């Protein structure tokens, strides 16, 4: 069933848990996320990033996400991730998305406030919640390029806790994406999360907080982040990395058994779906942080 962003984050708040937002620019990923949610009994978010348009156009994947989420027995919020253009955002709103992110984190502060406020005005006309970002993850949302590294290498700027309070009040956002050491894409070495920054933001922010760059983070750090107030975790890179590795292994195994074995496309999509589903189940359970299943 469809749930909007405000309501799904309220569930997370009440249960001291975080909801994973899986980026799903393929049918395999959409199915994997919904099946993992039904299997585990927890709510989930599925998202399409504007930057993933070449992998799956919004016009194709958006209505598919909404239709499959609607008929799922799990609570599902369909979300637009990292949107930089209000015209693109309007298209998702018209399709029935329950959450959208306006990403003005690359803009000077005043411009970020002005454009995020415009997004809030638009979103207020729909049954939808708004996520905005303050501070910067440095690296852009990955997928087409191998971005990532460390927060320092990526040019990340931690969210300023005092500015966060002003940003929330000035924009009318519903949930805040903040930067405290995670990066999009593959980590080179261990991620170093700054929980002091997160704790200070939480003290001043009266809205649910979001962790982007959620893949590659240890289960222990996930739990610490949830206990420090993170209510939504964005997860993409490691799911598709594991799926890619599973497809690679399947090809290698088939070729080892028979050098001229034919590899059919569905062999790869099926193993990718199963791998993502199992990985997503693990992420959902870890982020549930001990809460009992809700669906
Ligand atoms: P990862 O690249 O760590 O999976 O993060 C995805 C993300 O934050 C999408 O907004």
């Amino acid at each position: 069933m469809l749930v909007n962003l405000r309501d799904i984050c309220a569930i997370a708040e009440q249960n001291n848990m975080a909801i994973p937002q899986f980026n799903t620019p393929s049918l395999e990923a959409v199915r994997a996320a919904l099946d993992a949610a039904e299997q585990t009994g927890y709510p989930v978010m599925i998202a399409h990033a504007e930057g993933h348009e070449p992998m799956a156009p919004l016009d194709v994947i958006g209505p598919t996400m909404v239709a499959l989420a609607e008929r799922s027995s799990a609570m599902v919020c369909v979300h637009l991730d990292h949107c930089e253009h209000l015209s693109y955002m309007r298209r998702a709103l018209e399709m029935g998305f329950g959450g959208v992110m306006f990403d003005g984190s690359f803009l000077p502060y005043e411009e970020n406030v002005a454009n995020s406020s415009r997004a809030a005005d638009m979103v207020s006309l729909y049954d939808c919640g708004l996520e905005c970002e303050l501070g910067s993850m440095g690296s852009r949302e990955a997928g087409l390029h191998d971005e990532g590294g460390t927060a320092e290498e990526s040019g990340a700027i931690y969210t300023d806790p005092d500015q966060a309070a002003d940003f929330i009040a000035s924009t009318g956002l519903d949930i805040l994406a903040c930067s405290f050491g995670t990066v999009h894409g593959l980590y080179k070495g261990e991620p170093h999360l700054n929980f002091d920054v997160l704790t200070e933001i939480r003290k001043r922010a009266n809205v649910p907080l979001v962790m982007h760059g959620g893949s590659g983070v240890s289960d222990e750090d996930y739990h610490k982040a949830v206990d420090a107030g993170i209510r939504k975790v964005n997860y993409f890179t490691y799911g598709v990395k594991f799926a890619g590795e599973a497809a690679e292994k399947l090809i290698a195994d088939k070729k080892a058994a028979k050098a001229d074995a034919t590899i059919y496309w569905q062999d790869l999509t099926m193993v990718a779906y199963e791998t993502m589903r199992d990985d997503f189940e693990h992420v959902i359970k870890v982020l549930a942080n001990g809460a009992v299943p809700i669906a």
Side-chain angles (χ1 to χ4, degrees), residues 35-170:
D35 290 352
E38 288 185 3
Q39 195 58 41
T40 55
Y42 293 102
V44 77
M45 294 185 62
I46 53 176
H48 183 66
E50 187 175 355
H52 290 175
E53 185 70 17
M55 288 183 233
L58 177 62
D59 284 346
V60 175
I61 202 78
T64 307
M65 289 161 70
V66 173
L68 294 180
E70 205 161 21
R71 72 175 203 204
S72 171
S73 62
M75 286 189 260
V76 186
C77 176
V78 181
H79 188 68
L80 183 66
D81 190 27
H82 289 288
C83 176
E84 298 179 9
H85 301 94
L86 295 182
S87 54
Y88 194 85
M89 182 174 281
R90 189 182 290 284
R91 285 166 55 199
L93 290 166
E94 287 293 326
M95 282 174 197
F97 278 41
V100 290
M101 176 197 191
F102 176 75
D103 181 3
S105 61
F106 54 94
L107 298 169
Y109 181 67
E110 282 71 24
E111 273 181 63
N112 190 4
V113 170
N115 288 357
S116 299
S117 305
R118 264 183 225 122
D121 288 344
M122 186 188 284
V123 172
S124 69
L125 305 173
Y126 296 83
D127 178 20
C128 185
L130 175 67
E131 172 182 348
C132 296
E133 180 166 337
L134 180 68
S136 175
M137 305 281 303
S139 59
R140 311 296 291 167
E141 164 49 31
L144 297 177
H145 311 287
D146 183 16
E147 300 214 47
T150 63
E152 291 73 29
E153 282 166 5
S154 309
I157 301 164
Y158 287 162
T159 304
D160 177 331
D162 290 324
Q163 209 173 40
D166 181 70
F167 188 64
I168 294 163
S170 311

Side-chain angles (χ1 to χ4, degrees), residues 21 23 81-82 141-142 183-185 212-215 234-238:
Q21 177 222 278
N23 289 83
D81 190 27
H82 289 288
E141 164 49 31
V183 295
H184 291 122
H212 281 245
S215 44
N234 288 19
Y235 184 96
F236 174 57
T237 303
Y238 278 53

Side-chain angles (χ1 to χ4, degrees), residues 263-283:
I263 310 295
Y264 293 102
W265 178 238
Q266 64 269 22
D267 296 336
L268 306 185
T269 56
M270 281 186 333
V271 77
Y273 156 76
E274 284 162 11
T275 304
M276 285 190 279
R277 184 199 55 207
D278 294 351
D279 180 47
F280 291 173
E281 279 188 24
H282 173 75
V283 174

